[in-house]
Amino acid sequence: MKTLFLLFPYTMLLLLSACISSEGIVPQSDVPVDNTFQLSEHVQEIQEDAAWPTDQWWQCFQDEQLNQLMQLAVSQSPSVQESQARIRLATSLAAQTDAALSPTMDAEAQINRKRWPTDYFYGPGELGGTTSWNNTGLLSLHYDPDIWNKNSLQSEVALSEIKKQTAKSQIAKLNIESALMSSYIQLSLNHDELELAQQAVNTYQEKLDVIKAQLKMGLNTEVAVHQAETQLADTEAKLEAVKDHIVIAKHAIAALLGKGPAFADSLKPPHLKRTDEVSLPSHIPAELLGHRPDVVASRWLVFSANKHIDIAHTAFYPNINLSAAIGFMAVNGSVLSVFSHDKLTYDAGPAISLPIFDAGRIRGELSEATASYDMTVALYKKTLTEAMQQIADSAVSLKSSLTQSATLASAIKASHQAYLHANDAYEVGLTDYLPVLDARLAWLQQQLFSQQINAQVLQYRADLIIALGGGLTTEDDGPKQAALRYQEKP
């Protein structure tokens, strides 16, 4: 009978909890069930097994200067430093959240000399009109048994925030690597253009000299001279523009490294190696998409939103806290009399609370949590869709640029043969020297087109690596698929 009497208050709280129900408040969205995403027919032509990028993916271009610049950019990037500070902040907040899972203990001591008033309310009995020591010393213990796992859920949310910030740090790292790679490829192209532009200037100068010599001999006209002068001036202007582009590209690289413009003077011409193979499966599992840091961050958002729903559900149940205190209290006697046995005091017991009427606040909080879950699931789906689009676009562009490069290789070979035949015809006296120079200019133009396409191949190769996540994360960095899906509470 005594046991039933002790359980009566708790039983009443459970019955009263039925007054506030979470029935009918559930998310409207769910995480994609299909774990495989099919690429388009154009991309399916690339049927090799995917060799997923490594962490230092830029090393496949075999440029030692690029390797050094990448390491320097990542270590000194302000955006990466900011994201790392956010990781430390999230870790600190998680430590504060985890503290709720363990008992806490507080100590308090107070020594006061007090004058008691004669008024009955403030100074009753024999203390009225007297002065005495008013000393206390207490040791308190507090513990939340976490019956409904609210504190554990909040700890999981805090951990997911650390993981999300880690993924964002990797996003910042990848963005810096991508920007540096693009600037470096541009610098490489500019140096190739510089060499060809200088050859073109020399050739046009030769052409002008030949035409002037022919004019003196009455074999050409003033119009031809002016045309040759115009072509030479245009080519010289393009040469100066290329030099300007080289300086700008170097300054861009220096800025990405957090360096001043003077750092650009130390940069040497790039020597990037090109790899033509394209490795990509026709079906990409969602687990492999999880290598992308933006996908990982989005998955942790869904995980956190799912846990927030569970946390909101705990507000519908009774809250129980345990507390205990032991110590000494004295309002009379000497300053040390507080430590006598008869001044000992203690208290212990549970504290139980349950909202009975809250005007819809708790249901509103649960509804807010489910709406946030739907938003994060929609964001996750959008991130997956954009990831697939970037992978497909990069793969198709890379394949197309490789095809163009192969076609231009044939054109370069043909234009070179035309130049050699023109030179042979000149040497045997069949033509003058102008056809030789024109054939050389056509050959230089084809080489310029080839260098531009080669830069596109390098850029699309880097874009595909970045679209695949840059090798920055592993499968273990993201939450499991089951942890993302909402499970309706009974």
Side-chain angles (χ1 to χ4, degrees):
M1 185 66 182
K2 183 177 180 181
T3 302
L4 292 176
F5 178 77
L6 293 175
L7 291 176
F8 178 75
Y10 185 69
T11 304
M12 289 300 298
L13 286 174
L14 289 176
L15 292 175
L16 288 172
S17 66
C19 298
I20 304 177
S21 173
S22 62
E23 184 178 356
I25 306 178
V26 295
Q28 304 300 312
S29 303
D30 199 2
V31 176
V33 177
D34 187 13
N35 64 352
T36 301
F37 299 88
Q38 186 171 356
L39 298 170
S40 65
E41 294 181 0
H42 296 289
V43 185
Q44 288 183 29
E45 298 175 359
I46 309 170
Q47 292 288 342
E48 302 297 329
D49 291 334
W52 218 260
T54 60
D55 181 42
Q56 297 183 347
W57 54 269
W58 56 84
Q59 291 186 350
C60 69
F61 298 100
Q62 302 178 33
D63 188 305
E64 185 59 34
Q65 180 177 240
L66 175 63
N67 297 340
Q68 297 174 0
L69 293 176
M70 282 291 187
Q71 298 290 349
L72 190 61
V74 170
S75 63
Q76 298 189 7
S77 167
S79 58
V80 173
Q81 293 173 352
E82 177 189 359
S83 60
Q84 291 174 345
R86 291 184 181 276
I87 294 175
R88 296 196 302 271
L89 175 61
T91 303
S92 301
L93 294 176
Q96 298 175 41
T97 303
D98 287 345
L101 298 173
S102 304
T104 60
M105 183 177 294
D106 301 317
E108 178 185 357
Q110 178 177 303
I111 301 177
N112 285 328
R113 185 72 175 170
K114 184 170 183 176
R115 169 69 180 178
W116 299 93
T118 56
D119 183 271
Y120 179 76
F121 183 82
Y122 293 103
E126 62 183 16
L127 291 177
T130 66
T131 300
S132 66
W133 292 101
N134 184 28
N135 302 336
T136 60
L138 293 175
L139 187 65
S140 303
L141 178 68
H142 305 276
Y143 178 61
D144 183 351
D146 198 23
I147 297 177
W148 314 115
N149 294 324
K150 178 180 180 179
N151 296 335
S152 299
L153 292 169
Q154 290 177 334
S155 180
E156 291 185 52
V157 169
L159 177 61
S160 71
E161 180 65 22
I162 298 175
K163 296 289 188 178
K164 184 188 74 174
Q165 293 298 337
T166 301
K168 286 189 174 182
S169 176
Q170 294 171 336
I171 293 174
K173 178 176 181 286
L174 193 58
N175 288 339
I176 290 295
E177 294 171 354
S178 174
L180 179 57
M181 190 71 223
S182 296
S183 296
Y184 200 74
I185 291 173
Q186 185 61 47
L187 179 61
S188 176
L189 173 60
N190 293 151
H191 275 287
D192 292 334
E193 290 176 334
L194 178 65
E195 181 179 350
L196 293 173
Q198 186 62 62
Q199 292 183 39
V201 167
N202 296 337
T203 303
Y204 275 115
Q205 183 64 59
E206 280 189 72
K207 184 176 181 180
L208 177 60
D209 294 340
V210 170
I211 293 175
K212 284 182 177 180
Q214 290 177 344
L215 178 62
K216 290 180 179 181
M217 293 183 293
L219 301 177
N220 219 320
T221 65
E222 290 284 353
V223 174
V225 172
H226 293 318
Q227 289 178 341
E229 289 174 342
T230 302
Q231 291 172 335
L232 176 60
D234 288 342
T235 308
E236 288 176 337
K238 291 178 181 178
L239 176 62
E240 292 302 318
V242 171
K243 292 179 180 179
D244 185 49
H245 293 161
I246 289 177
V247 174
I248 292 176
K250 287 183 175 181
H251 287 173
I253 293 174
L256 288 171
L257 300 178
K259 303 291 186 179
F263 179 81
D265 298 334
S266 64
L267 295 176
K268 301 176 182 179
H271 297 284
L272 297 170
K273 301 297 182 181
R274 201 181 95 179
T275 54
D276 291 349
E277 69 276 3
V278 183
S279 300
L280 198 66
S282 59
H283 293 73
I284 297 183
E287 288 78 8
L288 292 183
L289 282 179
H291 285 258
R292 287 175 56 110
D294 57 341
V295 174
V296 173
S298 184
R299 287 170 68 90
W300 280 116
L301 277 174
V302 176
F303 176 87
S304 177
N306 194 12
K307 295 301 178 182
H308 274 295
I309 296 178
D310 295 336
I311 293 173
H313 271 288
T314 63
F316 291 85
Y317 308 130
N319 185 41
I320 301 177
N321 286 285
L322 303 178
S323 62
I326 186 171
F328 299 90
M329 299 181 65
V331 295
N332 209 344
S334 65
V335 66
L336 298 179
S337 63
V338 67
F339 298 109
S340 61
H341 181 269
D342 59 344
K343 305 299 182 180
L344 178 67
T345 181
Y346 66 86
D347 64 78
I352 305 175
S353 63
L354 174 72
I356 298 176
F357 178 74
D358 65 348
R361 176 182 61 83
I362 296 178
R363 286 180 60 86
E365 291 174 351
L366 178 58
S367 180
E368 177 187 359
T370 57
S372 295
Y373 177 82
D374 290 336
M375 290 172 59
T376 55
V377 170
L379 177 62
Y380 177 54
K381 292 178 180 177
K382 179 182 177 182
T383 303
L384 289 178
T385 302
E386 291 177 348
M388 288 301 303
Q389 178 185 356
Q390 291 175 9
I391 292 172
D393 289 349
S394 299
V396 170
S397 297
L398 177 57
K399 190 68 174 180
S400 175
S401 62
L402 288 172
T403 303
Q404 296 177 54
S405 179
T407 302
L408 277 175
S410 299
I412 291 175
K413 183 178 180 180
S415 62
H416 184 234
Q417 289 297 322
Y419 167 66
L420 294 178
H421 290 320
N423 192 60
D424 292 340
Y426 166 72
E427 289 181 352
V428 297
L430 296 178
T431 65
D432 59 20
Y433 197 56
L434 287 180
V436 177
L437 297 176
D438 289 337
R440 185 195 299 172
L441 290 170
W443 180 36
L444 291 174
Q445 186 63 45
Q446 290 299 326
Q447 291 182 69
L448 176 61
F449 289 156
S450 178
Q451 294 297 343
Q452 292 172 345
I453 293 299
N454 183 61
Q456 289 185 11
V457 172
L458 293 171
Q459 184 62 62
Y460 291 139
R461 165 64 66 185
D463 290 344
L464 181 58
I465 293 175
I466 292 167
L468 294 172
L472 286 174
T473 61
T474 64
E475 184 179 349
D476 294 336
D477 290 331
K480 301 301 181 182
Q481 185 80 2
L484 305 180
R485 304 185 64 185
Y486 172 74
Q487 301 293 331
E488 189 171 355
K489 304 300 181 290

